[in-house]
Amino acid sequence: QVQLVESGGGLVQAGGSLRLSCAASAGTFSGYVMGWFRQAPGKEREFVAAISRSGGITNYADSVKGRFTLSRDNAKKTVSLQMNSLKHEDTAVYYCGANLYGSSGQIELRFYEYWGQGTQVTVSS
């Protein structure tokens, strides 16, 4: 079982950048596909990005493609989401998830077994 802790959220102006990190403890980190999801007030949690176990394959939602970059460091058991050119509509709680059995192409929540507590990202317009 892996435990996940997100950090790096905050308040930023539109056009700015933030870097979110997710640290894993316990479990074999390199055995998990890692993903980021977000949930805005009144909306369902939605897929943002995912990265394969080796880090060689990434998958992004169309809404963030070209602005967000996902990377991982298996030695440090961390995954990072660099968010650039932030928009007001990126405002949400961002969650890190771990997917043990699937692939980075799976964007549904049901494929992710473990979740962090979330970190708030607020983009002022």
Side-chain angles (χ1 to χ4, degrees), residues 28-94:
T28 304
F29 181 73
S30 60
Y32 293 88
V33 168
M34 298 301 296
W36 284 92
F37 289 72
R38 66 188 182 186
Q39 187 166 17
K43 296 186 177 182
E44 295 185 349
R45 193 174 299 189
E46 64 175 7
F47 171 77
V48 174
I51 190 166
S52 63
R53 292 170 181 81
S54 68
I57 300 173
T58 51
N59 183 23
Y60 298 94
D62 288 343
S63 59
V64 306
K65 203 170 292 183
R67 300 188 297 122
F68 290 12
T69 303
L70 184 57
S71 59
R72 67 188 295 163
D73 186 332
N74 286 340
K76 294 182 179 179
K77 296 187 178 182
T78 59
V79 59
S80 298
L81 183 67
Q82 178 66 42
M83 306 187 295
N84 298 329
S85 301
L86 283 162
K87 304 176 181 179
H88 177 67
E89 50 264 42
D90 294 318
T91 295
V93 177
Y94 283 70

Side-chain angles (χ1 to χ4, degrees), residues 1-21:
Q1 183 172 350
V2 64
Q3 296 173 328
L4 305 173
V5 178
E6 301 98 335
S7 62
L11 173 65
V12 64
Q13 289 186 333
S17 299
L18 279 176
R19 186 176 181 86
L20 304 184
S21 293

